[in-house]
Amino acid sequence: MDEIKKDSTSINVKAFFQIIWKEKFLILAMVIIAGGLGFWYGATSKEQFTSQGKILPELQGKSTKIGGLAGLANLAGVDLSNLESSEAIRPDLYPDILRSTPFFMQLFKEKFTTRDNKTVSFEDFYHQNVEGGAPLPEKDTKLFPVKENGFLLISHQYEKRIKNLKLRILVDIDKKSGIITITVKMPDPVVAAQVARFSMVYLTDYVTRYRIDKAKRDMDFLAEKVNAAKGKFYSNQEKRAQYSDQFQLPTIRLQSADVQRERIEADYRISSTFYNELLKKYEEAKIKVQQDTPVFQVLEPPIVPTQKSEPFRSLILLIALILGGTLALIIVMFKNNNYKKVIQS
């Protein structure tokens, strides 16, 4: 049958193919043009290489305060895992660390080795290989004439760079296993692996500093107090010994000497007790720093890729041909109202 009926509308298949045959040169030309554009885009697009690293963090113990409610909450579809976690920084916040402006500003200062064995700063590498190396407009590098005071001051060019890098450096957390996967895409395979490694180190160092900061400040404070108490204790110890040597013979018993002896003994006992208590707390603080220090195991180090991840030239060409053909059909159908010959009411 040449016509397909659908409700009160029919499609004339024969007329459709007749129009296609009649306009075959226009369709072919548009497909060739689209294919040529797709081929040109694929050929001129810079190669991109993807490197990936994986970290296995230490899973901290969870509080049992709401443990009895966790099962009921799960049945109700409510996740209380974040509330139970004793982590100072929840793992689901790790990606935000590598999306922060301080991370990218530090990255720009780092030096990396390219596949040509040349050492360059990441800022120079990015400018040459991503931005094309053209001189930057003054308006993009200009800063407001103010001093930083609790805030960061960056140019419009850095804003654009950071926005692009957020698409190139990705962090994924597997909620079940806790594995952190860092994926980096760069025009240079060696730089891609090094940036992935830098990101892993930055993340682990940041979390470690955050976790032990309070405990370490307490430990440093106690260390100062222990040294001061130690000096006071040793001083009173020497006074006690000197007084004992001076009045070791019970020939003359003066009341003033007894009072002095009691005072020295009291100072000695207080300083001894205070010093020993502080020393005990200091040792406990050192243990707490060790306990709070997280452990990150590199499960999969970044590997320098040997095959490019982009562009997929064959896929680009195929998509271009499909888009060209689709656009050509639309134009042909609307040309001279040909669609009325195909779709009949």
Side-chain angles (χ1 to χ4, degrees):
M1 295 180 64
D2 294 335
E3 294 184 354
I4 300 176
K5 294 184 177 180
K6 186 176 182 181
D7 297 334
S8 60
T9 302
S10 62
I11 299 176
N12 193 326
V13 179
K14 184 177 180 180
F16 175 77
F17 284 107
Q18 286 176 345
I19 294 171
I20 296 297
W21 179 254
K22 181 181 179 181
E23 302 291 345
K24 59 182 179 294
F25 293 111
L26 174 61
I27 296 174
L28 182 61
M30 293 195 65
V31 170
I32 292 175
I33 291 174
L37 292 174
F39 179 80
W40 173 81
Y41 176 79
T44 56
S45 297
K46 286 187 176 181
E47 292 183 339
Q48 301 293 330
F49 298 86
T50 300
S51 182
Q52 192 177 83
K54 295 183 178 181
I55 306 173
L56 182 62
E58 175 189 22
L59 296 179
Q60 298 296 313
K62 295 184 177 181
S63 172
T64 58
K65 292 181 180 179
I66 59 175
L69 299 176
L72 294 176
N74 288 334
L75 291 176
V78 180
D79 184 11
L80 297 181
S81 58
N82 288 336
L83 296 178
E84 291 183 291
S85 176
S86 63
E87 286 278 359
I89 303 179
R90 300 199 312 268
D92 58 331
L93 297 180
Y94 288 175
D96 293 327
I97 297 175
L98 296 187
R99 291 176 62 86
S100 64
T101 300
F103 163 70
F104 292 112
M105 298 307 292
Q106 182 63 37
L107 175 61
F108 284 122
K109 299 176 183 178
E110 293 296 312
K111 292 187 178 296
F112 298 109
T113 303
T114 66
R115 55 180 162 186
D116 299 327
N117 201 28
K118 295 180 180 179
T119 302
V120 296
S121 67
F122 183 75
E123 182 174 3
D124 291 339
F125 168 83
Y126 185 90
H127 179 60
Q128 293 295 328
N129 295 273
V130 179
E131 295 176 333
L136 299 176
E138 183 179 354
K139 63 182 181 65
D140 287 345
T141 59
K142 189 176 181 181
L143 297 174
F144 292 112
V146 296
K147 292 184 179 180
E148 293 184 353
N149 184 19
F151 56 83
L152 291 177
L153 190 64
I154 61 176
S155 65
H156 178 60
Q157 188 64 33
Y158 275 107
E159 288 182 346
K160 292 193 296 184
R161 289 173 174 178
I162 291 173
K163 185 176 180 180
N164 177 262
L165 284 172
K166 286 181 179 180
L167 301 176
R168 291 177 173 270
I169 303 175
L170 304 176
V171 186
D172 180 65
I173 307 293
D174 189 318
K175 294 183 179 180
K176 292 184 178 180
S177 64
I179 295 176
I180 306 167
T181 302
I182 298 177
T183 305
V184 176
K185 181 177 67 176
M186 290 290 161
D188 188 303
V190 180
V191 173
Q194 291 176 89
V195 172
R197 175 60 182 169
F198 170 79
S199 303
M200 295 167 69
V201 173
Y202 185 93
L203 176 62
T204 55
D205 287 350
Y206 185 97
V207 174
T208 300
R209 288 196 306 270
Y210 191 96
R211 284 277 305 275
I212 69 173
D213 182 65
K214 176 64 167 59
K216 193 172 186 304
R217 282 191 284 112
D218 289 345
M219 185 186 73
D220 294 339
F221 173 78
L222 286 171
E224 294 180 3
K225 295 302 180 182
V226 165
N227 288 331
K230 181 179 179 181
K232 185 69 174 177
F233 169 64
Y234 282 3
S235 176
N236 288 331
Q237 194 177 44
E238 290 178 0
K239 288 182 180 179
R240 180 171 177 267
Q242 291 174 359
Y243 188 88
S244 298
D245 291 341
Q246 184 178 0
F247 294 96
Q248 60 180 344
L249 297 176
T251 54
I252 303 177
R253 304 293 296 181
L254 299 176
Q255 187 174 1
S256 60
D258 291 337
V259 172
Q260 184 69 13
R261 181 184 296 107
E262 290 178 1
R263 290 176 179 175
I264 292 176
E265 289 289 343
D267 289 342
Y268 171 77
R269 287 193 299 270
I270 293 174
S271 61
S272 175
T273 302
F274 185 62
Y275 171 66
N276 288 326
E277 285 296 322
L278 281 177
L279 190 61
K280 179 181 177 181
K281 290 184 179 296
Y282 175 63
E283 293 300 325
E284 292 174 351
K286 289 198 294 185
I287 294 174
K288 182 171 177 55
V289 169
Q290 181 63 31
Q291 290 176 339
D292 288 351
T293 302
V295 177
F296 291 91
Q297 182 66 39
V298 177
L299 188 62
E300 182 70 37
I303 299 175
V304 177
T306 57
Q307 300 292 329
K308 68 178 185 297
S309 57
E310 294 180 21
F312 299 104
R313 293 188 173 92
S314 57
L315 180 60
I316 293 174
L317 179 59
L318 177 61
I319 293 175
L321 292 174
I322 293 174
L323 290 177
T326 303
L327 181 60
L329 287 176
I330 294 174
I331 293 175
V332 166
M333 286 297 107
F334 281 92
K335 182 182 178 183
N336 299 325
N337 292 326
N338 286 329
Y339 69 92
K340 294 182 178 180
K341 300 177 183 178
V342 178
I343 303 175
Q344 300 174 350
S345 300

